[in-house]
Amino acid sequence: MNSNPAGAPSKARVGSSQPSETSFKRKRGVFQKDLQHMMYGFGDDPNPLPETVALVEDIVVEYVTDMVHKAQDIASKRGKLLTEDFLFLIRKDLPKLNRCTELLSMNEELKQARKAFDVDEEKLASGE
Amino acid sequence: MEQPPTTQSETPPTTTTPPLTTTSSTTQPDQPAQSQPQTSSPTASSSQPLPPSINPNPKHPNLPTSQSLQPQPLNPLSRTQFNRPYPPFPHFSPMTSHSTTSSSSMTSIPPAQRGGMALGVPAHPSPQPPTSFSSLTPPSFGSQFGGLGRPGNVSVPESAPSTSTPQVRQSISGMQGVGMMGSLGSSSSLRASGIAPSHPQRPLQSPLRPQANANNQSATTQNFQDHSLLRLPPAGSPGSPAPTTQQTTQSHNQPWLSSGTQGKPPLPPQSFRPQMNPQTLQQRSHIPSQQQTAMSASTQQPQTSSSLQSQSSSLSQQSPEQHYSLPPSRVPQNLTHQQQMARNRGLGNQRPFTPVIGQSSQVSSQPMVNKPPSAVEPTEPCNRIISKRSIHEIVSQIDPAERLDPEVEDILVDIADDFVESVTTFACSLAKHRKSNMLESKDILLHLERNWNMSLPGFSGDEIKCYKKPFGNDVHRERLAAIKKSIAAAETPNAKSLGGQAGGGAKGHPAKTTGLVIGSPNSKGRETT
């Protein structure tokens, strides 16, 4: 159904004539390696079954896809997709929401630290 | 019920039923092959060969319960069914031992029955009085036999006390020395019985069915699972797992048994699937056996892997009707939901009773065709997608201590049935809309996703659902732009006037809102100024 261009094995656009009907061919095993480790961390076997990993990956991809679609629906009024849209979607799930805010704040801190680090380096460089 | 110790027929296969040995005692141990119905026959003659005392509990504590439920309907049938002498099956020893086994003695048992059903039918102490061996064996064996008896023996009269005995005997004999709980006969009969409830229509196995069902159910519940009795040689289903064993046993018992065993396709030895003698299985029909194997395989799978998936995989390969014969291999995600459901049904029936039921259902379906094994309900003739046992299991997954009223269970079974039917119907119309003759998984997935808001991961294949931008009309967009403009303009001191201007024209409505909006900033602005 999709013609895959040679350079894009994972996705294929049906054609520009169908504006929101393009279906993308999914690449399997995108999260395979990481998921195996995560599953092990949650109690599975160190080498989980490939079918299990494939199923979990399906679940993850479906969840992400669904979430992005909903966020886009919300953001289309404003025009741009922002982080707040995603936070709005998980507002009912407190653990997730808190974890998300924590990660975002951590990200900010790291950015600040890097920025300060770079500035220090510049100072040192100029000082020399 | 166990067979009179004398008859070795009952000698419960040493492996199969330890309890039997106790009950049936003596004879049983030596009767692994159960070819020695004769011993039982003398005992059987006593008419209730199965000493109820022994059997009732030691052997199959479960039997009585399950069997009692089901055997009853079967008993009358089983009794009649038991035309053949009941071969002293190890299990049956309690039951069979008594007369049927000995008399029928495996040898005499007409091969039609199932080749020496060595049904070790666990003498289920339950309601069936030893008299009817049929009751005994049938329940445990009966369930197995249920299928077995089809040829007429099975009569697993679960509780066909007294009268059943003669019949049982006969049926047993038909079963013929199935060394193992009439694995052959029982399995087939059981299956038949198991399926019987579901498919009352099966004429073939009708006699057996009721019994088989009862047996199966009882058997499954009681013995098969617990007692080795149920071990009856791979019940009904083409005694695959135990074909060898059975054959040997059977061959001992009767020459015709050996022939039968080989014919049957290997039946995956489900844990407690009674291993029907291959012979009996053969007689039953290859198809059922295959189905059984498939079923058993499939049943095993679901147990191992997600039931649905396994089922679906197997189902996908075959139409739901044929789930019996589905190969155990799983077919990844090509199963239509319908198939899965069909499989589920088949397996569902089996699950609660596990192998026994599955086998019985298969047995019954043998000649018949693959009627989707409706929920195994010993007494209910109509087909159900799921059985009450499955409901119990599901509930226990949610809360182990939860108990449901019987009416509630009935309702849930009905709801499940209706759900499957409605989904399948709609999916079929979707498939037709797609101009296709085959129902595929995407039809069911689409229906569930759209109308039931159920997304099933793992079945959708490789496509990613692309996003549809929210479509808006041109006019609508213009109006929205105008509103934005007016809002922006309202922030200036002239907002009020602008709002007024905006009010006129097509933006009547939006203008009002903007007017309201403007009102507040204006007031604020005024205050500041």
Side-chain angles (χ1 to χ4, degrees), chain B residues 358-420:
Chain B
Q359 294 184 352
S360 56
S361 58
Q362 292 182 0
V363 169
S364 57
S365 57
Q366 312 163 354
M368 302 283 322
V369 172
N370 326 329
K371 233 184 145 177
S374 53
V376 184
E377 288 174 345
T379 50
E380 190 167 329
C382 50
N383 298 341
R384 288 272 176 256
I385 297 291
I386 201 173
S387 67
K388 290 199 179 179
R389 183 79 182 189
S390 302
I391 302 276
H392 283 151
E393 288 181 4
I394 294 172
V395 167
S396 66
Q397 284 177 13
I398 299 172
D399 184 358
E402 183 73 32
R403 296 282 173 263
L404 293 178
D405 288 341
E407 295 92 8
V408 174
E409 290 170 8
D410 288 340
I411 285 273
L412 287 176
V413 166
D414 283 345
I415 288 173
D417 208 21
D418 287 343
F419 175 74
V420 169

Side-chain angles (χ1 to χ4, degrees), chain B residues 496 519-529:
Chain B
K496 217 178 189 182
S520 46
N522 284 340
S523 59
K524 288 181 191 169
R526 285 184 193 159
E527 289 167 8
T528 54
T529 56

Side-chain angles (χ1 to χ4, degrees), chain B residues 8-10 31-41 85-90 96 100-111 114-119 172-182 249-257 277 279:
Chain B
Q8 28 194 264
S9 59
E10 287 307 332
Q31 274 206 356
Q34 297 154 10
S35 45
Q36 345 265 335
Q38 305 77 16
T39 55
S40 57
S41 51
Y86 172 73
F89 299 98
T96 58
T100 57
T101 54
S102 56
S103 56
S104 57
S105 55
M106 330 287 287
T107 57
S108 58
I109 300 174
R114 296 197 199 206
M117 294 236 309
L119 305 175
I172 300 186
S173 57
M175 308 248 210
Q176 313 197 345
V178 175
M180 325 247 228
M181 274 302 281
T249 56
Q250 295 167 1
S251 51
H252 302 321
N253 304 335
Q254 285 110 17
W256 67 82
L257 289 180
N277 279 336
Q279 297 182 2

